[in-house]
Amino acid sequence: MTLASLLAVLFLALGLLHLQQGPAPLLLADLLMLLWHDDGSKAALILHQIRLPRTVVAALAGGALAGSGVLIQVVTRNPLGDPGLTGVSAGATFGVAVMVVLGMPAAWAVVGVGILGGTCAGTMTFLLTRRVGMQDIHLLLAGLTVAVFFTAATSTIMVVERTSLQSLYFWMIGGFANKGWAEFTLLWPICTVSFVLTVLCARFIELLQIEDSLSRGLGLNTGLWRLCTAALSVGLAAGAVAVAGPIAFVGFVTAHTIRFLLSPARGRPAVRTVFCLSALAGGSMTLAADIVSRSLAPEFHVPAGAVAAVIGGVAFLAVARNQLQSNQI
């Protein structure tokens, strides 16, 4: 069985398990029947209005973060690249913090301003590096600067408006509790447009992995395509973070793992292949993190972001250690 088939099966299995999980667990046969036919029962109402939107939002957010990770690794030519490098997470967090303090409960307002904040942060990062090129060290320093700025602004808001501390702290860990169709409606257009554009432009994005002088010799406008690819990465990350919070390491772990699994058989894998498989893996990772978080302590509502951070943090340290030992970074 190919890697794509294995990931598809894993994704489907985790999705069904995620839908089954809850205070009133559903048998698989009952779940499939209710998915196919809404009979108006209480179980069907819970499934279609609470569990199903949470599942699809978790899968979409994970896929968006993973896709963003692949693109930012291509732009920086850094295997340790992560969407957080661009300051998007800090910017989106600031936007959400502003809306929480203003008392705007509407999902469209919170998510919309979160996306705006993340996009502004990403734009600032790339503007800071426009004259020196989007190389890894320049992007890292610019992203760190922008992230520190927005983190300080968020901290100031939290100090001034202490009544919002608990909700903000919970959101800043990242998770999918209370996510519904409103969040899905705001996230799916971003994911769809970004995924389609990435797949259609993959043969141009592919050339960004080689030296700029070589890609220019092949007729590629390197600066323009690097900027467009970075914009796609920022859009995916901003949408996911605004909806689910800054779930750490999903973009890094999935993209790096897929490249590792593909490289022994094919050498350098195609960007289109890595992007699509990473999206499946990212959705699977966030679904698994949410399943584990609800299983560990359902009464305390442990955010899925905490589980993802533990898994991703261990993986990041292991990969970074290997990269340092091989003098690749």
Side-chain angles (χ1 to χ4, degrees):
M1 186 179 290
T2 64
L3 179 60
S5 301
L6 287 172
L7 286 173
V9 170
L10 177 63
F11 179 79
L12 180 60
L14 288 171
L16 291 174
L17 182 59
H18 194 273
L19 288 171
Q20 285 183 279
Q21 194 179 37
L26 287 171
L27 295 174
L28 181 59
D30 296 333
L31 170 65
L32 295 175
M33 182 185 69
L34 291 175
L35 281 175
W36 180 260
H37 174 65
D38 185 351
D39 59 6
S41 63
K42 182 180 179 180
L45 179 65
I46 292 173
L47 176 63
H48 286 273
Q49 298 302 320
I50 299 177
R51 296 188 186 179
L52 187 57
R54 179 170 180 165
T55 298
V56 294
V57 167
L60 270 181
L65 288 171
S68 178
V70 172
L71 296 177
I72 204 64
Q73 288 178 12
V74 171
V75 168
T76 62
R77 301 193 193 111
N78 185 352
L80 301 184
D82 184 82
L85 280 176
T86 58
V88 171
S89 296
T93 301
F94 172 74
V96 171
V98 170
M99 297 309 289
V100 170
V101 168
L102 292 177
M104 298 289 187
W108 66 267
V110 174
V111 174
V113 175
I115 293 172
L116 179 62
T119 304
C120 287
T123 302
M124 289 172 63
T125 298
F126 294 120
L127 285 176
L128 288 172
T129 61
R130 72 186 187 281
R131 291 188 178 181
V132 293
M134 295 180 190
Q135 303 304 318
D136 51 359
I137 186 62
H138 300 138
L139 191 62
L140 176 62
L141 292 174
L144 179 61
T145 302
V146 172
V148 168
F149 170 78
F150 279 105
T151 300
T154 303
S155 299
T156 302
I157 290 175
M158 295 173 70
V159 169
V160 173
E161 189 64 35
R162 296 184 179 182
T163 56
S164 305
L165 278 178
Q166 185 175 1
S167 57
L168 279 175
Y169 274 133
F170 188 81
W171 183 87
M172 288 171 67
I173 299 174
F176 306 101
N178 303 319
K179 304 304 178 186
W181 291 118
E183 287 81 6
F184 170 76
T185 302
L186 292 165
L187 183 57
W188 78 261
I190 299 173
C191 292
T192 302
V193 172
S194 299
F195 275 53
V196 170
L197 288 176
T198 300
V199 171
L200 292 177
C201 301
R203 66 190 184 95
F204 300 106
I205 298 174
E206 188 87 41
L207 296 176
L208 296 177
Q209 298 181 105
I210 63 178
E211 293 295 331
D212 288 351
S213 57
L214 294 176
S215 58
R216 290 193 193 99
L218 294 173
L220 184 74
N221 187 333
T222 306
L224 176 62
W225 278 104
R226 199 176 295 279
L227 183 63
C228 292
T229 305
L232 288 172
S233 175
V234 167
L236 285 170
V241 172
V243 167
I247 300 177
F249 297 116
V250 174
F252 157 73
V253 169
T254 51
H256 191 84
T257 301
I258 294 300
R259 281 199 173 93
F260 174 78
L261 293 174
L262 289 177
S263 58
R266 301 182 181 180
R268 175 185 285 178
V271 168
R272 183 186 285 111
T273 302
V274 175
F275 182 82
C276 294
L277 294 183
S278 295
L280 271 178
S284 299
M285 181 175 174
T286 47
L287 286 171
D290 202 32
I291 291 170
V292 172
S293 68
R294 288 193 289 174
S295 301
L296 288 176
E299 66 277 10
F300 295 111
H301 303 288
V302 177
V307 177
V310 171
I311 298 172
V314 172
F316 181 84
L317 290 174
V319 172
R321 180 174 177 271
N322 290 334
Q323 295 284 332
L324 287 169
Q325 288 179 344
S326 60
N327 295 321
Q328 292 184 26
I329 59 173

